[in-house]
Amino acid sequence: MSAKTPAAASISNDDIETCLTYCTQAFAQLEALLHVIKQQAPEHSITARLASLGEHLACEMENQVDCILGQLPAEVAITSEVTQ
């Protein structure tokens, strides 16, 4: 049985913004990839349908992360509890 020690970790807004920006870029790349798969798949195939679903989901997640980025308070550190 391992003991868990709580520790306060401060995460700057710059770090959060960087991470969320990378997430936005990754969702955009995923959306583009799934779009190509959809275009290359036979029309009305399960592959085309699943790629279309994934493309729309990636787009929605990209938009969600963009909204979160827009709501970050300026110059405030966010503190979370981390267990080691």
Side-chain angles (χ1 to χ4, degrees), residues 4 12-13 20 25 28-29 31 33 38 43 62 68 76:
K4 293 185 179 182
S12 73
N13 270 3
L20 292 175
Q25 293 169 355
Q29 291 172 359
E31 179 184 0
L33 174 67
K38 179 179 76 173
E43 191 174 3
E62 179 185 2
I68 293 169
V76 176

Side-chain angles (χ1 to χ4, degrees), residues 51-80:
S52 180
L53 176 64
E55 178 186 16
H56 291 290
L57 180 59
C59 180
E60 290 298 318
M61 294 305 298
E62 179 185 2
N63 289 337
Q64 180 67 30
V65 173
D66 277 340
C67 288
I68 293 169
L69 274 169
Q71 295 176 5
L72 283 180
E75 300 180 20
V76 176
I78 297 174
T79 303
S80 64

